[in-house]
Every structure is written in C-alpha cells, then in structure tokens.
Amino acid sequence: MAQKIVAGNWKMNLSSTEAKELMSNLNEKSFPNDVRTIVFPTNIYVDSIVSLAKNTEVGVQNFSENDNGAYTGEVSIDQLKSIGVKIGLIGHSERRAYFKEDNEQLKNKVNQAIKNDFEFIFCCGEPLAIRENGDELTFVRHQLNESLFHLTKEQM
C-alpha cells in the first residue's frame, strides 16, 4: 500500500513569528501512524523550524543542482543535511514558470538528490492553456521523460 503523505508548502508566506506559531500548533496535533507529515517553509526559516518540529518533517522548497560554489542565493544539499533536512521539492510549477526551470535543470537536481541520498518530491503538471487544449498527458509525459526516466529501477 502506498504511503500517505500530507505536505504543506508554505511558499513565500508567514513572518518568523507566524511560522513558529504554525509549527507549535502542528506539534500539538497527533497524526495517524500511517500518515507522513511534511512542511516546506521558506528557506530563511528552515533551520528554526527544524529545531521546533516534533512530529512533522521539515523539507525545503528548492535546492541547488550544484555541490557548492559561487551560486548566490542557492542552498546545497550538504548545507541542508547539516541542519537535519532530508527532503525537498523539485519542479514546482511556480519555479518552472517564474524562474524558467526547465526539464534539463530539473534532471540535474534529480541527479544531485540521488547522488547525495536526498529524498525529493517531484512536482509535475501543466498550465491551464495546455489542459484546455487537451494536451496535458503529452505535456506531463514529456516532463517525466526528460527529468526522471533516466533513473534506474533501483534509483526510482
């Protein structure tokens, strides 16, 4: 049976105080044993939310496809793992649209995650215009083929 996951992407919302209050409220909740709960706060709060989290995992909304280097504003998997983060999002529609992340870049992020034993949730989907044209399956298949289907069965 597939694992149940309840995940919340906080996007670019919440002040530091609001983020801590939300995490405190989540800590007071109990979740069924077969449900995995994950929050994805804004990067600036990840470290403090990791230290507050009790029964919820903390992931990141984005990570670099590079090990390290002169990549202003980026965060590496090694940096994330050093503060206890074990999972991140890849390919969110907003990153694709606003930051022009393409399938090749997402493939590189997938490879970086695999290389560093870092779990990820791969986001895929189509813009409304594609759906209205009835081309959503072709569009999503293309995303998956170019970004994920190079992986071996074991890596998958």
Side-chain angles (χ1 to χ4, degrees):
M1 185 164 87
Q3 182 180 31
K4 297 173 190 167
I5 297 174
V6 175
N9 180 0
W10 297 1
K11 303 193 181 204
M12 197 175 73
N13 295 300
L14 305 178
S15 68
S16 177
T17 301
E18 292 167 330
K20 290 173 184 173
E21 285 175 12
L22 178 55
M23 199 67 239
S24 177
N25 288 336
L26 285 172
N27 285 339
E28 294 174 11
K29 306 293 180 198
S30 62
F31 302 100
N33 290 336
D34 65 337
V35 176
R36 182 177 177 192
T37 57
I38 312 167
V39 294
F40 296 92
T42 304
N43 273 353
I44 195 170
Y45 305 138
V46 170
D47 195 25
S48 64
I49 297 302
V50 165
S51 67
L52 293 174
K54 292 183 180 166
N55 56 0
T56 301
E57 293 176 62
V58 180
V60 291
Q61 299 173 9
N62 184 42
F63 57 86
S64 177
E65 72 238 46
N66 300 292
D67 290 324
N68 55 45
Y71 301 101
T72 301
E74 290 292 298
V75 61
S76 74
I77 289 175
D78 277 348
Q79 291 171 321
L80 295 168
K81 289 172 86 173
S82 76
I83 61 167
V85 175
K86 299 174 185 165
I87 187 170
L89 298 176
I90 297 178
H92 196 284
S93 61
E94 293 152 2
R95 302 261 343 145
R96 291 174 188 265
Y98 305 146
F99 300 101
K100 308 300 181 216
E101 285 189 354
D102 61 19
N103 293 333
E104 182 66 23
Q105 185 176 8
L106 297 174
K107 179 180 179 179
N108 293 336
K109 288 185 180 194
V110 166
N111 292 340
Q112 185 73 345
I114 296 292
K115 177 177 97 173
N116 288 283
D117 195 28
F118 192 74
E119 190 176 4
F120 60 90
I121 294 175
F122 187 86
C123 305
C124 59
E126 76 287 348
L128 180 59
I130 299 290
R131 187 176 331 135
E132 288 175 341
N133 286 337
D135 294 329
E136 66 272 12
L137 293 179
T138 301
F139 188 87
V140 170
R141 187 177 298 115
H142 183 72
Q143 289 177 331
L144 296 174
N145 282 337
E146 288 197 353
S147 301
L148 282 180
F149 286 179
H150 67 287
L151 298 175
T152 66
K153 181 179 178 181
E154 292 74 28
Q155 290 171 320
M156 204 48 103

